[in-house]
Amino acid sequence: MRTIILLWFTPAPKKLKQLQEEGMNAINLPLSPTQYELHPEDTMLEENEVRTMVDPNSRKDSKLQELIKVLIDWINDVLVGERIIVKDLAEDLYDGQVLQKLFEKLEGEKLNVAEVTQSEIAQKQKLQTVLERINDALKVPTRNTKWNVDSVHAKSIVAILHLLVALSQHFRAPIRLPDHVSIQVVVVQKREGILQSRQIQEEITERDAFDTLFDHAPDKLSVVKKTLITFVNKHLNKLNLEVAELDTQFADGVYLVLLMGLLEGYFVPLYGFFLTPENFEQKVHNVSFAFELMQDGGLERPKPRPEDIVNCDLKSTLRVLYNLFTRYRHVD
């Protein structure tokens, strides 16, 4: 049963502004760098040659292994009718054949490429065509991509993971990628006969301010939650509604839909969503509908899945609400 509030105290403008600033300052924390030990595998290089290697210890990371498994399962689900089974991302995707089939299924179009390629030249030509079409669909300029023909064909797991994560996010894959997965990379170059190396932590799935907030500044979490509760109640109070728990009270999508209508200044027709959702599917419908309203209002589609909100994932709910807060915090 929803609580109907007849009276709501609105903080004074000065106090409200201070609370908003505290919330934003708590979010905008610096990310903590990760230190690790260098273990180059092969240092036989020509003069000025650069070689990039994945730190062997990084491959054992549980989150990296989880990401790889999630992506493999997703690809196999998409291609279940193609009699294609992917077991190893690098070994199975480098020649462009699986990438072609995956993109055709996701995009719903047939690519004009050879079905079977044996030679390295033919494989790279096919891979070039496939990647160009993928980049075009993703609307990512070639110069800004973290993958290319050479890196994918060389079976670079870093490039292939970047590509698959981008595809899964663009096509709204029904999967949940583990947060802030990174790979430790060693870059070695030979200059004047001397080997020089540097270490890079390559982020595969993004680590945002909320990841840092939960991991390194839990004391600031209450400040952020208080800021967002004040923000949403400022508007929901107009309907005599009040929120006390962000993760649970937005889980059915009703308050999220109503909040968007209040922020944009229109009445949301009741036939567009379930006012009293009775099951998981109806709740997902409500949250998805709210996401559509956000896009109609000029916001980017939220990164969390509707299912994450329905499952009461606090971090996902905070991400969505904070985006609304940054856009509408000056709206009366």
Side-chain angles (χ1 to χ4, degrees):
M1 179 180 295
R2 302 189 182 283
T3 303
I4 305 299
I5 304 298
L6 298 178
L7 295 175
W8 171 251
F9 173 71
T10 302
K14 183 176 181 180
K15 184 177 180 181
L16 179 60
K17 183 177 181 181
Q18 180 182 0
L19 183 60
Q20 291 179 344
E21 290 178 352
E22 289 177 354
M24 295 186 74
N25 289 337
I27 287 292
N28 296 323
L29 292 171
L31 300 182
S32 302
T34 303
Q35 300 296 326
Y36 55 90
E37 188 176 349
L38 176 65
H39 297 287
E41 300 175 347
D42 185 1
T43 55
M44 301 298 293
L45 307 179
E46 300 292 335
E47 183 66 23
N48 293 323
E49 182 183 353
V50 177
R51 183 169 300 174
T52 301
M53 299 166 285
V54 175
D55 186 328
N57 293 324
S58 184
R59 292 181 178 271
K60 303 174 185 177
D61 181 76
S62 59
K63 282 199 170 185
L64 175 60
Q65 294 300 319
E66 179 187 355
L67 174 63
I68 291 174
K69 183 180 185 304
V70 168
L71 291 173
I72 288 177
D73 290 344
W74 170 58
I75 294 172
N76 287 333
D77 286 343
V78 174
L79 300 180
V80 66
E82 297 291 327
R83 297 183 179 179
I84 294 175
I85 299 179
V86 172
K87 297 182 178 180
D88 185 284
L89 293 180
E91 294 295 334
D92 295 337
L93 271 68
Y94 80 97
D95 62 357
Q97 179 74 13
V98 174
L99 283 174
Q100 171 205 343
K101 297 297 183 182
L102 178 63
F103 181 75
E104 288 178 342
K105 281 288 186 179
L106 295 172
E107 186 69 7
E109 72 171 60
K110 185 74 173 177
L111 298 183
N112 185 23
V113 293
E115 285 297 322
V116 180
T117 52
Q118 298 293 337
S119 69
E120 179 178 334
I121 295 177
Q123 288 175 353
K124 285 190 172 183
Q125 288 175 341
K126 176 176 182 173
L127 187 57
Q128 179 73 38
T129 302
V130 173
L131 291 182
E132 285 178 353
R133 185 63 192 89
I134 290 176
N135 294 344
D136 182 60
L138 298 181
K139 295 181 173 56
V140 178
T142 302
R143 65 180 180 277
N144 292 338
T145 60
K146 296 182 179 181
W147 57 84
N148 55 43
V149 173
D150 291 333
S151 60
V152 173
H153 195 269
K155 304 178 183 180
S156 166
I157 190 62
V158 175
I160 291 172
L161 286 176
H162 275 306
L163 174 58
L164 293 176
V165 167
L167 280 171
S168 68
Q169 292 175 337
H170 176 78
F171 288 101
R172 296 290 168 182
I175 58 177
R176 183 170 184 176
L177 302 177
D179 294 330
H180 51 85
V181 177
S182 62
I183 297 181
Q184 297 169 359
V185 177
V186 181
V187 181
V188 182
Q189 183 176 21
K190 192 172 188 178
R191 291 182 178 178
E192 298 180 357
I194 300 176
L195 291 175
Q196 298 181 354
S197 64
R198 55 192 175 96
Q199 307 164 359
I200 299 175
Q201 186 168 2
E202 186 76 20
E203 300 287 341
I204 305 298
T205 58
E206 293 182 1
R207 177 182 177 83
D208 65 10
F210 281 99
D211 294 317
T212 305
L213 187 70
F214 274 70
D215 294 344
H216 302 293
D219 56 310
K220 299 290 186 181
L221 182 59
S222 60
V223 177
V224 174
K225 292 174 68 175
K226 183 178 180 181
T227 299
L228 294 178
I229 287 174
T230 301
F231 165 71
V232 298
N233 282 335
K234 172 186 173 183
H235 298 282
L236 290 177
N237 172 248
K238 299 169 186 176
L239 299 177
N240 290 329
L241 300 173
E242 182 183 42
V243 167
E245 297 294 333
L246 295 178
D247 51 345
T248 58
Q249 289 184 266
F250 281 97
D252 63 6
V254 175
Y255 281 172
L256 206 54
V257 171
L258 296 176
L259 181 60
M260 279 309 303
L262 291 167
L263 293 173
E264 283 290 328
Y266 56 72
F267 174 77
V268 181
L270 297 180
Y271 60 77
F273 66 105
F274 298 94
L275 188 60
T276 56
E278 298 178 352
N279 53 48
F280 186 84
E281 289 72 22
Q282 291 181 356
K283 294 176 183 180
V284 171
H285 169 86
N286 284 353
V287 177
S288 299
F289 181 56
F291 284 5
E292 292 175 6
L293 297 179
M294 293 175 195
Q295 289 180 282
D296 291 342
L299 291 168
E300 292 185 3
R301 183 176 177 85
K303 291 183 179 180
R305 302 178 308 155
E307 292 84 356
D308 297 333
I309 307 299
V310 177
N311 286 326
C312 300
D313 182 72
L314 178 58
K315 194 183 298 184
S316 296
T317 303
L318 290 178
R319 286 187 174 110
V320 172
L321 294 178
Y322 187 73
N323 284 339
L324 296 180
F325 168 74
T326 56
R327 172 70 177 269
Y328 297 102
R329 65 179 181 274
H330 299 304
V331 174
D332 294 326

